[in-house]
Amino acid sequence: MPTLTVQNLPAAAAVPVPAGATLLAALQAAGHDWMHACGAKGRCTTCRLIVTSGAEGLTPPTGPELRYLDAGRLLPLERLTCQARLAEGHVTGSVPTATMLPHMQYTL
């Protein structure tokens, strides 16, 4: 099964990503609290993940992601966890400082 590791989460264990599931759904199923202000509808950029390796295993950017990229609200190495799905392999990334939850302790 494909997996996701978020390096700066307190417990940076590999999270299994079931077929067809978004990265956000997999993170939530694994018990991780993750910012998503619009309710996972792709209407904001609060669920961003900075992808540091394994981007080739992700599905292509969705319409909302492309719009945010064009508008400069999403960087080329960032994906929205509510939109991105992991088709194969392993993705490693980190939570951007701007979207860290205040009640969480992140590693640097």
Side-chain angles (χ1 to χ4, degrees):
M1 178 178 295
T3 56
L4 165 66
T5 298
V6 182
Q7 296 170 312
N8 58 348
L9 281 180
V15 172
V17 182
T22 63
L23 298 180
L24 178 61
L27 286 160
Q28 290 176 321
H32 294 289
D33 200 3
W34 198 272
M35 175 82 77
H36 59 289
C38 71
K41 294 178 175 59
R43 295 182 182 150
C44 70
T45 60
T46 61
C47 71
R48 287 177 285 168
L49 174 76
I50 300 169
V51 178
T52 55
S53 69
E56 65 278 356
L58 292 169
T59 53
T62 63
E65 288 176 302
L66 292 172
R67 282 192 297 278
Y68 288 125
L69 279 164
D70 288 344
R73 292 186 56 201
L74 197 61
L75 298 175
L77 293 177
E78 292 179 328
R79 294 294 304 269
L80 298 180
T81 62
C82 73
Q83 300 291 300
R85 299 171 194 278
L86 183 54
E88 62 183 18
H90 180 80
V91 168
T92 302
S94 61
V95 181
T97 303
T99 61
M100 289 180 173
L101 293 167
H103 66 278
M104 300 270 295
Q105 297 293 319
Y106 295 90
T107 60
L108 299 176

Coordinates of all heavy atoms in Angstrom, one line a residue:
M1 N 0.9 -1.2 0.0 CA 0.0 0.0 0.0 C 0.9 1.2 0.0 O 1.9 1.3 0.7 CB -0.9 0.0 1.2 CG -1.8 1.2 1.3 SD -2.9 1.3 2.7 CE -4.0 -0.1 2.3
P2 N 0.5 2.3 -0.8 CA 1.3 3.5 -0.8 C 1.3 4.1 0.6 O 0.3 4.0 1.4 CB 0.6 4.4 -1.8 CG -0.2 3.5 -2.6 CD -0.5 2.3 -1.8
T3 N 2.3 4.9 0.9 CA 2.4 5.5 2.2 C 2.9 7.0 2.1 O 3.5 7.4 1.2 CB 3.4 4.8 3.2 OG1 4.7 4.7 2.5 CG2 3.0 3.4 3.5
L4 N 2.6 7.7 3.2 CA 2.9 9.1 3.3 C 3.6 9.3 4.7 O 3.1 8.9 5.7 CB 1.6 10.0 3.3 CG 1.7 11.5 3.7 CD1 2.6 12.3 2.8 CD2 0.4 12.1 3.8
T5 N 4.7 10.0 4.7 CA 5.4 10.4 5.9 C 5.5 12.0 5.9 O 5.9 12.6 5.0 CB 6.8 9.8 6.0 OG1 6.7 8.4 6.0 CG2 7.5 10.3 7.3
V6 N 5.0 12.5 7.0 CA 5.1 14.0 7.2 C 6.2 14.2 8.2 O 6.0 13.9 9.4 CB 3.7 14.6 7.7 CG1 3.9 16.1 7.8 CG2 2.6 14.3 6.7
Q7 N 7.3 14.7 7.8 CA 8.5 14.8 8.6 C 8.4 15.6 9.9 O 9.0 15.3 10.8 CB 9.6 15.4 7.7 CG 10.0 14.4 6.6 CD 11.0 15.1 5.6 OE1 10.8 16.2 5.2 NE2 12.0 14.4 5.3
N8 N 7.6 16.7 9.8 CA 7.6 17.6 11.0 C 6.4 17.3 11.9 O 6.1 18.1 12.8 CB 7.7 19.0 10.6 CG 6.6 19.5 9.7 OD1 5.9 18.7 9.1 ND2 6.5 20.8 9.5
L9 N 5.7 16.2 11.7 CA 4.6 15.9 12.7 C 5.3 15.2 13.9 O 6.4 14.6 13.8 CB 3.6 14.9 12.1 CG 2.6 15.4 11.1 CD1 1.7 14.3 10.6 CD2 1.7 16.4 11.8
P10 N 4.7 15.4 15.1 CA 5.3 14.8 16.3 C 5.6 13.3 16.1 O 6.6 12.8 16.6 CB 4.2 15.0 17.4 CG 3.5 16.2 16.9 CD 3.5 16.1 15.4
A11 N 4.7 12.5 15.5 CA 4.9 11.1 15.3 C 5.0 10.9 13.8 O 4.0 10.6 13.1 CB 3.8 10.3 15.9
A12 N 6.2 11.0 13.2 CA 6.4 11.0 11.8 C 6.5 9.6 11.2 O 7.3 9.3 10.4 CB 7.7 11.8 11.4
A13 N 5.5 8.8 11.6 CA 5.4 7.4 11.1 C 4.8 7.4 9.7 O 4.1 8.3 9.3 CB 4.6 6.5 12.0
A14 N 5.1 6.4 8.9 CA 4.5 6.2 7.6 C 3.0 6.0 7.7 O 2.6 5.1 8.5 CB 5.1 5.1 6.8
V15 N 2.2 6.8 7.0 CA 0.7 6.7 7.1 C 0.3 5.9 5.8 O 0.6 6.3 4.7 CB 0.1 8.1 7.1 CG1 -1.5 8.0 6.9 CG2 0.4 8.8 8.4
P16 N -0.5 4.8 6.0 CA -0.9 4.1 4.8 C -2.0 4.9 4.0 O -2.8 5.6 4.7 CB -1.5 2.8 5.3 CG -1.8 3.1 6.8 CD -0.9 4.2 7.2
V17 N -1.9 5.0 2.7 CA -2.9 5.7 1.9 C -3.6 4.7 1.0 O -3.1 4.2 0.0 CB -2.2 6.8 1.0 CG1 -3.2 7.6 0.2 CG2 -1.3 7.7 1.9
P18 N -4.9 4.4 1.4 CA -5.7 3.4 0.7 C -5.9 3.9 -0.7 O -6.0 5.1 -1.0 CB -7.0 3.3 1.5 CG -6.6 3.8 2.8 CD -5.6 4.8 2.6
A19 N -6.1 3.0 -1.6 CA -6.4 3.3 -3.0 C -7.6 4.2 -3.1 O -8.7 4.0 -2.5 CB -6.7 2.0 -3.8
G20 N -7.5 5.3 -3.8 CA -8.6 6.2 -4.0 C -8.8 7.3 -3.0 O -9.5 8.2 -3.1
A21 N -8.1 7.2 -1.8 CA -8.2 8.1 -0.7 C -7.3 9.3 -1.0 O -6.2 9.2 -1.5 CB -7.8 7.4 0.6
T22 N -7.8 10.5 -0.5 CA -6.9 11.7 -0.5 C -5.9 11.5 0.6 O -6.1 10.8 1.5 CB -7.7 12.9 -0.3 OG1 -8.3 12.9 1.0 CG2 -8.8 13.1 -1.4
L23 N -4.8 12.3 0.5 CA -3.8 12.4 1.5 C -4.5 12.8 2.8 O -4.2 12.3 3.9 CB -2.7 13.3 1.2 CG -1.9 12.9 -0.1 CD1 -0.8 13.9 -0.3 CD2 -1.3 11.5 0.0
L24 N -5.4 13.8 2.8 CA -6.1 14.3 4.0 C -6.9 13.2 4.6 O -6.8 13.0 5.9 CB -7.0 15.5 3.6 CG -7.8 16.1 4.8 CD1 -6.9 16.6 5.9 CD2 -8.7 17.2 4.3
A25 N -7.6 12.4 3.9 CA -8.4 11.3 4.4 C -7.5 10.3 5.1 O -7.9 9.8 6.2 CB -9.3 10.7 3.3
A26 N -6.4 10.0 4.5 CA -5.5 9.0 5.1 C -4.9 9.6 6.4 O -4.8 8.8 7.4 CB -4.4 8.7 4.1
L27 N -4.5 10.8 6.4 CA -4.0 11.5 7.6 C -5.0 11.4 8.8 O -4.7 11.1 9.9 CB -3.5 12.9 7.3 CG -2.2 13.0 6.5 CD1 -2.1 14.4 5.9 CD2 -1.0 12.7 7.4
Q28 N -6.2 11.8 8.4 CA -7.3 11.8 9.4 C -7.6 10.4 9.9 O -7.8 10.2 11.1 CB -8.5 12.5 8.9 CG -8.4 14.0 8.7 CD -9.6 14.6 8.1 OE1 -10.2 14.1 7.2 NE2 -9.9 15.8 8.6
A29 N -7.6 9.4 9.0 CA -7.9 8.0 9.4 C -6.8 7.5 10.4 O -7.0 6.7 11.2 CB -8.0 7.1 8.2
A30 N -5.5 8.0 10.2 CA -4.4 7.6 11.1 C -4.4 8.4 12.4 O -3.5 8.3 13.2 CB -3.1 7.8 10.3
G31 N -5.4 9.3 12.6 CA -5.5 10.1 13.8 C -4.7 11.4 13.9 O -4.6 11.9 15.0
H32 N -4.3 11.9 12.7 CA -3.5 13.2 12.7 C -4.5 14.3 12.5 O -5.4 14.3 11.7 CB -2.5 13.2 11.6 CG -1.4 12.2 11.8 ND1 -0.4 12.3 12.7 CD2 -1.2 11.0 11.2 CE1 0.4 11.3 12.7 NE2 0.0 10.5 11.7
D33 N -4.4 15.3 13.3 CA -5.1 16.6 13.2 C -4.5 17.4 12.1 O -3.3 17.6 12.1 CB -5.2 17.3 14.5 CG -6.3 18.3 14.6 OD1 -7.1 18.4 13.7 OD2 -6.4 19.0 15.6
W34 N -5.3 17.9 11.1 CA -4.7 18.6 10.0 C -5.6 19.7 9.6 O -6.8 19.6 9.5 CB -4.6 17.6 8.8 CG -3.7 18.0 7.7 CD1 -4.0 18.8 6.6 CD2 -2.3 17.7 7.6 NE1 -2.9 19.0 5.8 CE2 -1.9 18.3 6.4 CE3 -1.4 17.0 8.3 CZ2 -0.6 18.2 5.9 CZ3 -0.1 16.9 7.9 CH2 0.3 17.5 6.7
M35 N -5.0 20.9 9.4 CA -5.8 22.1 9.0 C -6.5 21.9 7.7 O -5.9 21.4 6.7 CB -4.8 23.3 8.9 CG -5.5 24.5 8.4 SD -6.3 25.4 9.7 CE -5.0 26.2 10.5
H36 N -7.8 22.2 7.6 CA -8.6 22.2 6.4 C -9.8 23.0 6.6 O -10.9 22.6 6.8 CB -8.9 20.8 5.9 CG -9.7 19.9 6.9 ND1 -9.2 19.5 8.0 CD2 -11.0 19.5 6.8 CE1 -10.1 18.8 8.7 NE2 -11.2 18.8 8.0
A37 N -9.6 24.4 6.4 CA -10.6 25.3 6.7 C -11.9 25.2 5.9 O -13.0 25.6 6.3 CB -10.1 26.8 6.6
C38 N -11.8 24.8 4.6 CA -13.0 24.8 3.8 C -13.7 23.4 3.8 O -14.6 23.2 3.0 CB -12.6 25.1 2.3 SG -11.6 23.8 1.5
G39 N -13.3 22.5 4.7 CA -14.0 21.3 4.8 C -13.6 20.3 3.7 O -14.3 19.4 3.3
A40 N -12.3 20.4 3.2 CA -11.8 19.5 2.2 C -12.5 19.6 0.9 O -12.6 18.6 0.2 CB -11.8 18.1 2.7
K41 N -12.8 20.8 0.5 CA -13.5 21.0 -0.8 C -12.6 21.7 -1.8 O -13.0 22.0 -2.9 CB -14.7 21.9 -0.6 CG -15.8 21.2 0.2 CD -17.0 22.1 0.5 CE -18.1 21.4 1.2 NZ -17.8 20.9 2.5
G42 N -11.3 21.9 -1.5 CA -10.4 22.5 -2.5 C -10.6 24.0 -2.7 O -10.3 24.5 -3.7
R43 N -11.2 24.7 -1.7 CA -11.6 26.1 -1.8 C -10.6 27.0 -1.1 O -10.8 28.2 -1.0 CB -13.0 26.3 -1.4 CG -14.0 25.6 -2.3 CD -15.4 25.9 -1.8 NE -16.3 25.2 -2.6 CZ -17.5 24.8 -2.2 NH1 -17.9 25.0 -1.0 NH2 -18.3 24.1 -3.0
C44 N -9.6 26.4 -0.4 CA -8.7 27.2 0.3 C -7.3 26.5 0.2 O -7.2 25.6 -0.5 CB -9.1 27.3 1.8 SG -8.9 25.8 2.8
T45 N -6.3 27.0 0.8 CA -5.0 26.4 0.7 C -4.5 26.0 2.1 O -3.3 25.8 2.3 CB -4.0 27.3 0.0 OG1 -3.9 28.5 0.8 CG2 -4.4 27.6 -1.4
T46 N -5.4 25.8 3.1 CA -4.9 25.5 4.4 C -4.5 24.1 4.6 O -3.8 23.8 5.6 CB -6.0 25.9 5.5 OG1 -7.1 25.1 5.2 CG2 -6.3 27.4 5.4
C47 N -4.7 23.2 3.7 CA -4.3 21.8 3.9 C -3.1 21.4 3.2 O -2.8 20.3 2.9 CB -5.5 20.8 3.5 SG -5.8 20.8 1.8
R48 N -2.3 22.4 2.8 CA -1.1 22.3 2.0 C -0.1 21.3 2.7 O 0.1 21.2 3.9 CB -0.3 23.6 1.8 CG -1.0 24.5 0.9 CD -0.3 25.8 0.8 NE -0.6 26.6 2.1 CZ 0.1 27.6 2.4 NH1 1.1 28.1 1.7 NH2 -0.2 28.3 3.5
L49 N 0.7 20.6 1.8 CA 1.8 19.8 2.1 C 2.9 20.2 1.2 O 2.7 20.2 0.0 CB 1.4 18.3 1.9 CG 2.6 17.3 2.2 CD1 2.8 17.1 3.6 CD2 2.2 16.0 1.5
I50 N 4.1 20.4 1.8 CA 5.3 20.6 1.0 C 5.9 19.2 0.7 O 6.3 18.5 1.6 CB 6.3 21.5 1.7 CG1 5.8 22.8 2.1 CG2 7.6 21.6 0.9 CD1 6.6 23.6 3.1
V51 N 5.9 18.9 -0.6 CA 6.3 17.5 -1.0 C 7.9 17.6 -1.1 O 8.4 18.4 -2.0 CB 5.6 17.1 -2.3 CG1 6.2 15.7 -2.7 CG2 4.1 17.0 -2.1
T52 N 8.6 16.8 -0.4 CA 10.0 16.8 -0.5 C 10.6 15.6 -1.3 O 11.7 15.6 -1.8 CB 10.7 16.8 0.9 OG1 10.2 15.7 1.7 CG2 10.4 18.1 1.6
S53 N 9.8 14.5 -1.4 CA 10.2 13.4 -2.2 C 8.9 12.5 -2.6 O 8.0 12.5 -1.8 CB 11.2 12.5 -1.6 OG 10.7 11.8 -0.5
G54 N 9.0 11.9 -3.7 CA 7.9 11.0 -4.1 C 6.8 11.6 -4.9 O 5.8 11.0 -5.1
A55 N 7.0 12.8 -5.3 CA 5.9 13.5 -6.0 C 5.4 12.8 -7.2 O 4.2 12.9 -7.6 CB 6.3 15.0 -6.4
E56 N 6.3 12.0 -7.8 CA 5.9 11.3 -9.1 C 4.8 10.2 -8.8 O 4.1 9.8 -9.7 CB 7.1 10.6 -9.7 CG 7.8 9.6 -8.9 CD 8.7 10.1 -7.8 OE1 9.0 11.3 -7.7 OE2 9.2 9.3 -7.0
G57 N 4.6 9.8 -7.6 CA 3.6 8.9 -7.2 C 2.2 9.5 -7.0 O 1.2 8.8 -6.9
L58 N 2.2 10.8 -7.0 CA 0.9 11.5 -6.7 C 0.1 11.7 -8.0 O 0.7 11.7 -9.1 CB 1.1 12.9 -6.1 CG 1.7 12.9 -4.7 CD1 2.1 14.3 -4.3 CD2 0.7 12.4 -3.7
T59 N -1.2 11.7 -7.9 CA -2.0 12.0 -9.1 C -1.7 13.4 -9.6 O -1.2 14.3 -8.8 CB -3.5 11.9 -8.7 OG1 -3.8 12.8 -7.6 CG2 -3.9 10.5 -8.4
P60 N -2.0 13.7 -10.8 CA -1.7 15.1 -11.4 C -2.5 16.1 -10.6 O -3.6 15.8 -10.0 CB -2.2 15.0 -12.8 CG -2.2 13.6 -13.2 CD -2.5 12.8 -11.9
P61 N -2.0 17.4 -10.5 CA -2.8 18.4 -9.9 C -4.2 18.6 -10.4 O -4.4 18.5 -11.6 CB -1.9 19.7 -10.2 CG -0.6 19.2 -10.4 CD -0.8 17.9 -11.1
T62 N -5.1 18.8 -9.5 CA -6.5 19.0 -9.8 C -6.8 20.4 -10.3 O -5.9 21.3 -10.2 CB -7.4 18.7 -8.6 OG1 -7.1 19.7 -7.6 CG2 -7.2 17.3 -8.1
G63 N -8.0 20.7 -10.8 CA -8.3 22.1 -11.2 C -8.1 23.1 -10.1 O -7.5 24.1 -10.4
P64 N -8.6 22.9 -8.9 CA -8.3 23.8 -7.8 C -6.8 24.1 -7.6 O -6.4 25.2 -7.4 CB -9.0 23.2 -6.6 CG -10.1 22.4 -7.1 CD -9.5 21.8 -8.4
E65 N -6.0 23.0 -7.6 CA -4.6 23.1 -7.4 C -4.0 24.0 -8.5 O -3.1 24.8 -8.2 CB -3.9 21.8 -7.3 CG -4.3 21.0 -6.0 CD -3.7 19.7 -5.9 OE1 -3.9 18.8 -6.8 OE2 -2.9 19.4 -5.0
L66 N -4.4 23.7 -9.7 CA -3.8 24.5 -10.8 C -4.2 26.0 -10.7 O -3.4 26.8 -11.0 CB -4.3 23.9 -12.2 CG -3.8 22.5 -12.5 CD1 -4.4 21.9 -13.7 CD2 -2.2 22.5 -12.7
R67 N -5.4 26.3 -10.3 CA -5.8 27.7 -10.2 C -5.0 28.3 -9.1 O -4.5 29.5 -9.3 CB -7.3 27.7 -9.8 CG -8.2 27.6 -11.0 CD -9.7 28.0 -10.7 NE -10.3 27.1 -9.7 CZ -10.8 25.9 -9.9 NH1 -10.8 25.4 -11.1 NH2 -11.3 25.2 -8.9
Y68 N -4.7 27.6 -7.9 CA -3.9 28.2 -6.9 C -2.5 28.4 -7.3 O -1.8 29.3 -6.9 CB -4.0 27.4 -5.6 CG -5.4 27.6 -4.9 CD1 -6.2 26.5 -4.6 CD2 -5.9 28.8 -4.6 CE1 -7.4 26.6 -4.0 CE2 -7.1 29.0 -4.0 CZ -7.9 27.9 -3.7 OH -9.1 28.1 -3.1
L69 N -2.0 27.4 -8.1 CA -0.6 27.5 -8.6 C -0.5 28.8 -9.5 O 0.4 29.6 -9.4 CB -0.2 26.3 -9.4 CG 0.2 25.1 -8.6 CD1 0.2 23.8 -9.4 CD2 1.6 25.3 -8.0
D70 N -1.5 28.9 -10.4 CA -1.5 30.1 -11.4 C -1.6 31.4 -10.6 O -1.0 32.4 -11.0 CB -2.6 30.0 -12.4 CG -2.4 28.9 -13.4 OD1 -1.2 28.4 -13.5 OD2 -3.4 28.5 -14.1
A71 N -2.3 31.4 -9.5 CA -2.5 32.6 -8.7 C -1.3 32.9 -7.7 O -1.3 33.9 -7.1 CB -3.8 32.6 -8.0
G72 N -0.4 32.0 -7.6 CA 0.7 32.1 -6.7 C 0.4 31.8 -5.3 O 1.1 32.1 -4.4
R73 N -0.8 31.2 -5.0 CA -1.2 30.8 -3.7 C -0.7 29.4 -3.3 O -0.9 29.0 -2.1 CB -2.7 31.0 -3.5 CG -3.1 32.4 -3.6 CD -4.6 32.6 -3.3 NE -4.9 32.1 -2.0 CZ -6.2 31.8 -1.7 NH1 -7.2 32.0 -2.5 NH2 -6.5 31.3 -0.5
L74 N -0.2 28.7 -4.2 CA 0.4 27.3 -4.0 C 1.7 27.3 -4.7 O 1.8 27.7 -5.9 CB -0.6 26.3 -4.6 CG -0.5 24.9 -4.1 CD1 -0.7 24.7 -2.6 CD2 -1.5 24.0 -4.9
L75 N 2.7 26.9 -4.0 CA 4.1 26.8 -4.6 C 4.2 25.5 -5.4 O 3.5 24.5 -5.2 CB 5.1 26.9 -3.5 CG 5.2 28.2 -2.7 CD1 6.2 28.0 -1.6 CD2 5.5 29.3 -3.6
P76 N 5.1 25.5 -6.4 CA 5.3 24.3 -7.2 C 5.5 23.0 -6.4 O 5.1 21.9 -6.9 CB 6.5 24.6 -8.1 CG 6.5 26.1 -8.2 CD 6.0 26.6 -6.8
L77 N 6.1 23.0 -5.3 CA 6.4 21.8 -4.5 C 5.3 21.5 -3.5 O 5.4 20.6 -2.7 CB 7.7 21.9 -3.8 CG 8.9 21.9 -4.7 CD1 10.2 22.1 -3.8 CD2 9.0 20.7 -5.5
E78 N 4.2 22.3 -3.5 CA 3.1 22.1 -2.6 C 1.9 21.4 -3.3 O 1.7 21.6 -4.5 CB 2.6 23.4 -2.0 CG 3.7 24.1 -1.1 CD 3.2 25.4 -0.5 OE1 2.4 26.1 -1.2 OE2 3.6 25.7 0.6
R79 N 1.2 20.6 -2.5 CA 0.0 20.0 -3.0 C -1.1 20.2 -1.9 O -0.8 20.3 -0.7 CB 0.2 18.5 -3.2 CG 1.1 18.1 -4.3 CD 0.6 18.5 -5.7 NE -0.7 18.0 -6.1 CZ -0.9 16.9 -6.7 NH1 0.1 16.1 -7.1 NH2 -2.1 16.5 -7.0
L80 N -2.3 20.2 -2.3 CA -3.5 20.2 -1.3 C -3.8 18.8 -0.9 O -4.0 18.0 -1.8 CB -4.7 20.9 -1.9 CG -4.5 22.4 -2.4 CD1 -5.9 22.8 -3.0 CD2 -4.1 23.2 -1.2
T81 N -3.7 18.5 0.4 CA -4.0 17.2 0.8 C -5.4 16.7 0.6 O -5.7 15.5 0.5 CB -3.6 16.9 2.3 OG1 -4.4 17.8 3.1 CG2 -2.1 17.2 2.5
C82 N -6.3 17.7 0.5 CA -7.7 17.3 0.2 C -7.9 16.9 -1.3 O -9.0 16.4 -1.6 CB -8.7 18.4 0.6 SG -8.7 19.9 -0.5
Q83 N -7.0 17.2 -2.1 CA -7.1 17.0 -3.6 C -6.2 15.9 -4.0 O -6.5 15.1 -4.9 CB -6.8 18.2 -4.3 CG -7.7 19.4 -4.0 CD -9.1 19.2 -4.5 OE1 -9.3 19.0 -5.7 NE2 -10.1 19.2 -3.6
A84 N -4.9 15.8 -3.5 CA -3.9 14.9 -4.0 C -4.2 13.5 -3.5 O -4.6 13.2 -2.3 CB -2.6 15.3 -3.5
R85 N -4.0 12.5 -4.4 CA -4.1 11.1 -4.1 C -2.8 10.4 -4.4 O -2.1 10.9 -5.3 CB -5.2 10.5 -4.8 CG -6.6 11.1 -4.5 CD -7.7 10.6 -5.4 NE -8.9 11.5 -5.3 CZ -9.8 11.4 -4.4 NH1 -9.7 10.4 -3.5 NH2 -10.8 12.2 -4.4
L86 N -2.4 9.4 -3.7 CA -1.1 8.7 -3.9 C -1.4 7.4 -4.6 O -2.0 6.5 -4.1 CB -0.4 8.5 -2.6 CG 0.9 7.8 -2.6 CD1 1.9 8.6 -3.5 CD2 1.5 7.7 -1.2
A87 N -1.0 7.4 -5.9 CA -1.3 6.2 -6.7 C -0.3 5.1 -6.4 O -0.7 3.9 -6.4 CB -1.1 6.6 -8.2
E88 N 0.9 5.4 -6.1 CA 1.9 4.4 -5.8 C 3.1 4.9 -5.1 O 3.3 6.2 -5.1 CB 2.4 3.7 -7.1 CG 3.1 4.7 -8.0 CD 3.5 4.1 -9.4 OE1 3.0 3.0 -9.7 OE2 4.4 4.7 -10.0
G89 N 3.9 4.1 -4.4 CA 5.1 4.5 -3.8 C 4.9 5.1 -2.4 O 4.0 4.9 -1.7
H90 N 5.9 6.0 -2.1 CA 6.0 6.7 -0.9 C 6.2 8.2 -1.1 O 7.1 8.5 -1.9 CB 7.1 6.1 0.0 CG 7.2 6.7 1.3 ND1 6.4 6.4 2.4 CD2 8.0 7.7 1.8 CE1 6.7 7.2 3.4 NE2 7.7 8.0 3.1
V91 N 5.4 9.0 -0.4 CA 5.6 10.5 -0.4 C 6.1 10.9 0.9 O 5.6 10.5 2.0 CB 4.3 11.2 -0.8 CG1 4.4 12.7 -0.6 CG2 4.0 10.9 -2.3
T92 N 7.0 11.8 0.9 CA 7.5 12.5 2.1 C 7.3 14.0 2.0 O 7.5 14.5 0.9 CB 9.0 12.2 2.3 OG1 9.2 10.8 2.4 CG2 9.5 12.8 3.6
G93 N 6.9 14.6 3.0 CA 6.6 16.0 3.0 C 6.6 16.6 4.4 O 6.9 16.0 5.4
S94 N 6.2 17.9 4.4 CA 6.1 18.6 5.7 C 5.0 19.6 5.7 O 4.6 20.1 4.6 CB 7.5 19.3 6.1 OG 7.8 20.2 5.1
V95 N 4.5 20.0 6.9 CA 3.5 21.0 7.0 C 4.2 22.4 6.9 O 5.1 22.7 7.6 CB 2.8 20.9 8.4 CG1 1.7 21.9 8.5 CG2 2.3 19.5 8.6
P96 N 3.7 23.3 6.0 CA 4.2 24.6 6.0 C 3.9 25.4 7.3 O 2.9 25.2 7.9 CB 3.4 25.3 4.8 CG 2.8 24.2 4.1 CD 2.6 23.1 5.0
T97 N 4.9 26.2 7.7 CA 4.7 27.0 8.9 C 3.4 27.7 9.0 O 2.7 27.8 10.0 CB 5.9 28.0 9.0 OG1 7.1 27.2 9.0 CG2 5.8 28.7 10.3
A98 N 3.0 28.3 7.8 CA 1.7 29.1 7.8 C 0.5 28.3 8.1 O -0.5 28.9 8.5 CB 1.6 29.8 6.4
T99 N 0.5 27.0 8.0 CA -0.7 26.2 8.2 C -0.6 25.2 9.4 O -1.4 24.3 9.5 CB -1.1 25.4 6.9 OG1 -0.1 24.5 6.6 CG2 -1.4 26.4 5.8
M100 N 0.4 25.5 10.2 CA 0.6 24.6 11.4 C -0.5 25.0 12.4 O -0.9 26.1 12.6 CB 1.9 24.8 12.0 CG 3.1 24.3 11.3 SD 4.7 24.6 12.1 CE 5.7 23.6 11.1
L101 N -1.1 24.0 13.0 CA -2.1 24.2 14.0 C -1.5 24.6 15.3 O -0.5 24.1 15.7 CB -2.9 22.9 14.2 CG -3.7 22.4 13.0 CD1 -4.2 21.0 13.2 CD2 -4.9 23.4 12.8
P102 N -2.1 25.6 16.0 CA -1.5 26.2 17.2 C -1.4 25.2 18.4 O -0.5 25.4 19.2 CB -2.4 27.4 17.5 CG -3.6 27.2 16.8 CD -3.3 26.3 15.6
H103 N -2.3 24.2 18.4 CA -2.2 23.3 19.6 C -1.3 22.1 19.4 O -1.1 21.3 20.3 CB -3.7 22.8 19.9 CG -4.2 22.0 18.8 ND1 -4.8 22.5 17.6 CD2 -4.3 20.6 18.6 CE1 -5.2 21.5 16.8 NE2 -4.9 20.4 17.4
M104 N -0.7 22.0 18.2 CA 0.2 20.9 17.9 C 1.7 21.3 18.1 O 2.0 22.5 17.9 CB 0.1 20.5 16.4 CG -1.3 20.0 16.0 SD -1.6 18.3 16.3 CE -0.4 17.6 15.1
Q105 N 2.5 20.4 18.5 CA 3.9 20.6 18.6 C 4.6 20.0 17.4 O 4.6 18.7 17.3 CB 4.4 19.9 19.9 CG 3.9 20.5 21.2 CD 4.3 22.0 21.3 OE1 5.5 22.3 21.1 NE2 3.4 22.8 21.7
Y106 N 5.2 20.8 16.5 CA 5.8 20.3 15.3 C 7.3 20.2 15.6 O 7.9 21.0 16.3 CB 5.5 21.2 14.1 CG 4.1 21.2 13.7 CD1 3.2 22.1 14.3 CD2 3.6 20.3 12.8 CE1 1.8 22.1 14.0 CE2 2.2 20.3 12.5 CZ 1.4 21.2 13.0 OH 0.0 21.2 12.7
T107 N 8.0 19.3 14.9 CA 9.4 19.3 14.9 C 10.0 20.1 13.8 O 9.3 20.4 12.8 CB 10.0 17.8 14.8 OG1 9.5 17.3 13.5 CG2 9.5 17.0 15.9
L108 N 11.2 20.6 13.9 CA 11.7 21.5 12.9 C 12.8 20.8 12.1 O 13.3 19.9 12.3 CB 12.3 22.8 13.5 CG 11.3 23.6 14.2 CD1 11.9 24.8 14.9 CD2 10.2 24.1 13.3

